């Protein structure tokens, strides 16, 4: 990951592909390997926040954030709204296809396996957002995710809208 531009064009130049709207996502076309994925707003996207999240409950915790919390996280100038990783999982059967499917299922009210990214599911037009992915070997994921987060913070002064926690490159796999 060099000096990435956090735009659709910049992500494409850095090896991301897909860019399918959530409403039109065919998970069978998503690679099964490990990698990173990003949620990207279309040009001219204006946020309309729902009072209640469509996301599933996690460990008996409601995923809904307040409108002031959501507004505080929103970056007008950023097309990239979330950057996450899809590792192999403890049994080696996870990867991009399964992680993105679970992320979308989470937005449709199913209980999630993780909490990060939940702010996406309080956007009224979340289905218009695009999902892009980049396959990477599992051993490079933590460092790559940390580098993308750090690059975004360097450009915008903070994490993407729906990233609640900054990745650390030396985190346990």
């Amino acid at each position: 990951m060099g000096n990435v531009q956090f735009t659709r064009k910049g992500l494409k130049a850095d090896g991301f592909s897909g860019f399918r709207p959530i409403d039109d996502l065919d998970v069978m076309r998503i690679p099964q390997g490990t990698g990173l994925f990003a949620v990207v707003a279309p040009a001219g996207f204006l946020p309309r926040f729902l009072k209640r999240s469509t996301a599933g409950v996690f460990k008996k915790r409601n995923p809904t954030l307040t409108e002031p919390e959501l507004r505080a996280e929103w970056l007008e100038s950023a097309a990239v709204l979330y950057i996450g990783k899809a590792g192999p999982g403890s049994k080696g059967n996870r990867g991009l296809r399964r992680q993105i499917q679970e992320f979308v299922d989470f937005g449709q009210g199913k209980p999630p396996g993780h909490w990060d990214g939940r702010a996406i599911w309080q956007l009224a037009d979340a289905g218009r957002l695009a999902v892009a992915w980049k396959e990477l070997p599992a051993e490079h994921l933590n460092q790559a995710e940390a580098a993308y987060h750090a690059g975004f913070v360097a450009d915008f002064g903070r994490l993407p809208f729906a990233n609640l926690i900054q990745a650390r490159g030396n985190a346990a796999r």
Side-chain angles (χ1 to χ4, degrees):
M1 187 214 130
N3 215 357
V4 174
Q5 278 197 299
F6 291 95
T7 60
R8 187 183 197 101
K9 188 175 177 182
L11 290 178
K12 271 186 181 171
D14 201 53
F16 278 81
S17 59
F19 297 93
R20 302 275 185 267
I22 290 170
D23 281 348
D24 299 328
L25 202 56
D26 176 357
V27 294
M28 297 314 285
R29 298 186 69 179
I30 300 170
Q32 289 183 286
T34 57
L36 298 178
F37 70 102
V39 178
V40 183
F45 185 84
L46 296 173
R48 286 187 305 116
F49 301 118
L50 301 172
K51 287 206 181 305
R52 190 166 172 80
S53 176
T54 64
V57 172
F58 180 68
K59 295 181 181 177
K60 298 184 180 175
R61 290 169 50 207
N62 183 334
T64 300
L65 298 165
T66 66
E67 188 166 334
E69 287 172 315
L70 293 165
R71 288 208 181 286
E73 295 302 321
W74 187 258
L75 285 164
E76 285 299 324
S77 59
V80 174
L81 303 182
Y82 179 74
I83 300 167
K85 71 178 176 190
S90 60
K91 296 184 180 106
N93 63 349
R94 294 196 60 77
L96 287 161
R97 182 181 298 169
R98 187 147 169 209
Q99 184 72 37
I100 292 168
Q101 179 66 65
E102 287 178 7
F103 181 73
V104 172
D105 287 349
F106 176 36
Q108 295 171 348
K110 295 185 181 139
H114 60 89
W115 195 237
D116 205 18
R118 72 183 191 268
I120 293 294
W121 308 117
Q122 258 181 276
L123 291 168
D125 298 319
R128 290 182 47 221
L129 303 175
V131 178
W133 51 84
K134 177 180 180 175
E135 287 190 271
L136 288 168
E139 62 273 14
H140 295 188
L141 281 181
N142 290 329
Q143 201 61 45
E145 183 188 34
Y148 276 93
H149 284 185
F152 193 95
V153 169
D155 286 0
F156 294 96
R158 55 195 167 99
L159 289 170
F161 168 69
N163 282 103
L164 304 174
I165 299 165
Q166 186 162 352
R168 304 276 177 234
N170 58 358
R173 287 190 174 88

